[in-house]
Amino acid sequence: MKALVLFSGGLDSTTCLALAVSKHGAENVIALSVFYGQSHDKEIRCAKQIAEYYGVQFKTLDLAEIFSDSDCSLLSKSESDIPKESYAEQLKKTDGKPVSTYVPFRNGLFLASAASIALSNECEFIYYGAHSDDAAGNAYPDCSVDFNNAMNEAIYLGSGKQLRIEAPFVELNKADVVRIGTELKAPYKLTWSCYEGGDKPCGRCATCIDRIAAFKANGLTDPLMEV
Amino acid sequence: MKALVLFSGGLDSTTCLALAVSKHGAENVIALSVFYGQSHDKEIRCAKQIAEYYGVQFKTLDLAEIFSDSDCSLLSKSESDIPKESYAEQLKKTDGKPVSTYVPFRNGLFLASAASIALSNECEFIYYGAHSDDAAGNAYPDCSVDFNNAMNEAIYLGSGKQLRIEAPFVELNKADVVRIGTELKAPYKLTWSCYEGGDKPCGRCATCIDRIAAFKANGLTDPLMEV
């Protein structure tokens, strides 16, 4: 049975890819990376390297046009700065709204695109790496369990019952993701999570903060932060 | 309150646009036409004319790349012919699967894209013209009430409760759509539904057959079939 993995080249989706490869075999896995107008292409270059590492088919898709009217701070055309603080700090100021790095309905759009591509490639599953830390406090509402259940139902019914979502971490946190990936020997040294695109992660944006903490919770050092 | 209408330039979505304009006012409506690799661009040219007729903002989006692996008979690269018979006839041969003109998860993808664009343009509603005739017998599973409910839930939750779907015809049939559109004086003469892209509709593909019957059920002649 074939599977398509939504694959950014970050920590969560690399763990997801490791899991899909262990279950389905590399020859039955397609990794899909979506460009959506990020300010750098470092993630996608990392994604390509990791796909090669696993020997899976690698596809890319450019959906930047869809976000041309968005003022999300992650996008290259945005005038807002990417916040240098944790999601918890940011959420104190958003009045229950998503954080400024929320890309409008990104996971919904990526899953729907993945569904169309998966159906054309005889895949029965779409994997993605949403986890509960990202959903907390409505930071990224398209990472929540309830969103995932609804989107899974939409894809299952809208595909004529041919396709389902697998979201193996949706009820787990990022520390759990690192634990699972470490057991699967995921090549974390090749990944990129930082919202900036430098040579080394900034260590100060929310995703760097979360990632460093998730390794620490497992008694590990993030391999990208090693000197 | 602003609304985005998924707008193909066909009969159903033109009625949907007429309804959205009557409720929200033309200045608060955006019509979105998606190119997905159809064998002709007649629909989108008609869509542009109808958007001008109503004076609404008109946006286009090209998602053809997503369907590059699909063998759907509607797509320009397909080697299959578009069937010249009704959906009921086609469904006798599909063994419960969607018909050959089903574009994989098209409505799900279009609604998800519309959601991302709607959120970037302060819209609170997405309208689309799915109706029960298209959902019948699983011909187009992404037109069913159950699909719509799940997708609405996914968009509502995944947007942080900022956006909803309006599917005004999802429990009605195509004859009802024509009745509503006729009351709203929708400019049906400007629409295009035929799967072919000639000067006049072929009159023999499933969508032509359905459209002619829907006018007839209202005691009317399809204005495109008038000599």
Side-chain angles (χ1 to χ4, degrees), chain A residues 22-184:
Chain A
S22 76
K23 286 202 180 172
H24 299 271
E27 69 282 12
N28 293 314
V29 170
I30 300 170
L32 174 68
S33 286
V34 185
F35 178 72
Y36 55 93
Q38 302 96 310
S39 56
H40 61 85
D41 66 350
K42 175 114 187 179
E43 276 181 327
I44 288 188
R45 283 186 282 126
C46 290
K48 186 165 186 288
Q49 279 192 310
I50 299 166
E52 282 167 6
Y53 171 90
Y54 276 115
V56 299
Q57 190 183 345
F58 182 61
K59 283 180 176 280
T60 59
L61 180 63
D62 185 345
L63 295 180
E65 184 187 355
I66 291 179
F67 298 108
S68 57
D69 297 329
S70 169
D71 61 359
C72 166
S73 66
L74 277 195
L75 302 177
S76 56
K77 40 169 259 342
S78 172
E79 290 173 12
S80 331
D81 288 334
I82 297 169
K84 294 287 187 193
E85 56 191 359
S86 71
Y87 292 126
E89 287 297 320
Q90 292 177 51
L91 285 167
K92 288 179 189 163
K93 307 168 204 163
T94 62
D95 195 27
K97 290 265 171 71
V99 294
S100 81
T101 45
Y102 168 74
V103 184
F105 205 59
R106 181 177 63 180
N107 280 351
L109 175 65
F110 286 12
L111 286 165
S113 307
S116 292
I117 294 172
L119 287 169
S120 306
N121 286 279
E122 293 84 44
C123 295
E124 291 174 50
F125 302 99
I126 301 167
Y127 281 74
Y128 81 125
H131 59 73
S132 62
D133 285 351
D134 279 349
N138 208 32
Y140 293 103
D142 54 350
C143 288
S144 70
V145 172
D146 289 344
F147 162 75
N148 178 67
N149 290 345
M151 196 70 201
N152 181 44
E153 187 77 357
I155 286 179
Y156 182 63
L157 296 173
S159 68
K161 304 185 180 175
Q162 301 184 79
L163 187 64
R164 287 179 190 277
I165 296 176
E166 290 282 325
F169 316 135
V170 74
E171 305 202 38
L172 307 178
N173 64 25
K174 203 171 180 94
D176 296 320
V177 174
V178 168
R179 178 178 48 74
I180 292 167
T182 302
E183 284 167 11
L184 291 165

